[in-house]
Amino acid sequence: MYFIEEPQYDASIRAPRVNFKVDASGVTVVVPVLPPNCPERLALETQRQALKKVQAAHRGAPSIFWYYTPMALLFSADADCDLCVYDCMDELAAFRGAPTELQRLEKLLMTRADVVFTGGRSLFEAKKNKHANVHAFPSSIDAKHFAVARRTGAPDPADQAGIARPRMGFFGVVDERMDVDLVAATAAARPDWQFVFLGPVVKIDPADLPRAENIHWLGGKRYDDLPSYLAHWDVGFMPFAMNEATRFISPTKTPEFLAAGLPVVSTPIRDVVTPYGDRGLVEIAGTADEVVASIERLLAGPKPDWRARVDAFLADMSWDRTFADMNRIMLSTGALPLDGTEAPADLKTGVPLGV
């Protein structure tokens, strides 16, 4: 299995190259490395040649092209595969700075894909009439990983240990999908509460982030380290803006917060309201006053049966089950010359963009 990454740029080289590295899972990560100011034509040709090299090494074997973004068609449209999957995780055209050709390429990908997966119910509703074989797969969960946060006695990470309690926390990319005005207003309303944010700042100016004594921007963290931070938070906070970029999102952090045992307050994102808000698993709040009131209720203690209902809801969720369901759908297309139930993926190409 191969994963073709977005190009990286290296000022120390004069000509493009491609790095191949096998990670711990056995996936070969293919990384085009380009000199600065590399022309787009040369960048695309480098990616095209990398894909050809991968296919040549496995000529005769069944192949799957798995797209996370239609932009990968710019270097792969002329290549053949046995099965084409479009894993549509977001409405990328609604994101700030989206390429102008994205919508055109998505229409082309929809004509080529054998199956389309969507990263949530809202996105499914938006795509279901654009392809004959669309399936919704809302965010799943590595429950064991985040359940580590429920254990007592774990040390508080050094850059968080000095922050007072109670703590409201967020982890993920900080971009135009965050309602920074809501963050500022909520923090100003309760200066005795601490608001901790983990994640890189992308596509927005860090200078535009609200600054206050009780707002803490701690930067990006390793996935493996997240449970140790969440273990010392009191409430999970999901202050998503209500805009075009969030209209179809299904935040993976919703079940991750719950698996960590944290009560959660979220703005009214459709895929959070249903099912999490409707089932009373997550508090939904749209204004600073509503957020404050929700957090106050949660700090007073969740309802007695809340954790049992959370665990019952999460019990059937896992990435293994998601894979098994996807694999069954892929095999049912009849596009692959395979029998059995083993994962058929010999080739995976795409660019990882998303929540």
Side-chain angles (χ1 to χ4, degrees):
M1 183 180 290
Y2 295 81
F3 192 97
I4 300 181
E5 286 275 16
E6 287 183 305
Q8 296 180 359
Y9 291 85
D10 185 344
S12 68
I13 65 174
R14 295 185 177 182
R17 69 168 187 262
V18 179
N19 293 338
F20 293 79
K21 181 180 179 181
V22 180
D23 72 6
S25 70
V27 174
T28 299
V29 181
V30 182
V31 185
V33 184
L34 310 173
N37 303 315
C38 180
E40 182 181 12
R41 175 190 57 78
L42 182 56
L44 291 174
E45 182 59 27
T46 301
Q47 294 172 86
R48 189 174 294 113
Q49 292 303 319
L51 177 56
K52 286 183 177 180
K53 184 174 181 179
V54 169
Q55 288 194 289
H58 298 276
R59 185 168 286 114
S63 64
I64 296 172
F65 282 10
W66 187 296
Y67 289 87
Y68 287 109
T69 171
M71 296 304 294
L73 280 174
L74 290 174
F75 66 84
S76 64
D78 295 334
D80 294 325
C81 64
D82 294 293
L83 180 72
C84 181
V85 178
Y86 178 23
D87 195 356
C88 183
M89 298 298 294
D90 289 290
E91 190 66 271
L92 297 177
F95 283 24
R96 180 178 297 180
T100 56
E101 66 267 51
L102 185 56
Q103 289 182 319
R104 175 185 65 83
L105 290 171
E106 181 174 78
K107 289 180 181 179
L108 177 59
L109 183 54
M110 283 289 195
T111 66
R112 297 190 175 201
D114 297 292
V115 59
V116 177
F117 299 133
T118 66
R121 178 59 54 178
S122 296
L123 204 51
F124 170 78
E125 294 296 331
K127 303 297 182 184
K128 67 180 181 180
N129 294 324
K130 298 181 179 181
H131 194 279
N133 194 18
V134 183
H135 304 267
F137 281 94
S139 297
S140 195
I141 177 69
D142 182 353
K144 290 183 179 180
H145 177 73
F146 284 92
V148 172
R150 299 189 184 194
R151 301 173 188 168
T152 59
D156 205 353
D159 59 347
Q160 179 177 265
I163 298 174
R165 304 286 287 264
R167 297 173 186 163
M168 312 329 131
F170 169 91
F171 64 95
V173 176
V174 179
D175 58 15
E176 76 271 20
R177 292 170 293 175
M178 178 175 286
D179 189 338
V180 293
D181 292 334
L182 178 63
V183 171
T186 305
R190 292 303 302 263
D192 54 323
W193 293 351
Q194 305 300 312
F195 296 83
V196 179
F197 296 86
L198 311 180
V201 179
V202 178
K203 294 188 291 181
I204 61 174
D205 188 344
D208 293 335
L209 298 177
R211 305 289 173 175
E213 291 292 327
N214 63 333
I215 301 177
H216 310 272
W217 305 97
L218 300 187
K221 305 299 175 186
R222 296 188 316 124
Y223 178 78
D224 289 347
D225 294 334
L226 289 178
S228 63
Y229 284 88
L230 274 61
H232 298 277
W233 293 353
D234 298 284
V235 174
F237 186 28
M238 303 202 313
F240 288 108
M242 303 304 296
N243 57 31
E244 282 301 305
T246 63
R247 183 179 174 189
F248 300 108
I249 65 172
S250 178
T252 306
K253 61 182 58 60
T254 313
E256 290 173 342
F257 271 134
L258 295 176
L262 274 173
V264 185
V265 176
S266 173
T267 49
I269 298 299
R270 286 176 59 192
D271 281 14
V272 179
V273 173
T274 303
Y276 298 98
D278 294 343
R279 293 171 178 258
L281 305 179
V282 169
E283 289 267 345
I284 305 298
T287 67
D289 287 343
E290 291 174 354
V291 171
V292 168
S294 291
I295 292 176
E296 286 177 339
R297 284 194 294 272
L298 295 177
L299 290 177
K303 295 178 180 179
D305 65 340
W306 172 78
R307 181 162 290 185
R309 288 187 292 110
V310 163
D311 290 346
F313 182 83
L314 298 179
D316 293 331
M317 295 174 61
S318 74
W319 290 115
D320 288 340
R321 177 171 178 173
T322 295
F323 166 76
D325 291 343
M326 286 180 166
N327 189 44
R328 184 164 52 251
I329 292 168
M330 290 158 62
L331 289 171
S332 72
T333 65
L336 289 167
L338 295 173
D339 295 315
T341 59
E342 291 300 314
D346 289 302
L347 180 66
K348 190 173 186 181
T349 180
V351 182
L353 299 174
V355 176

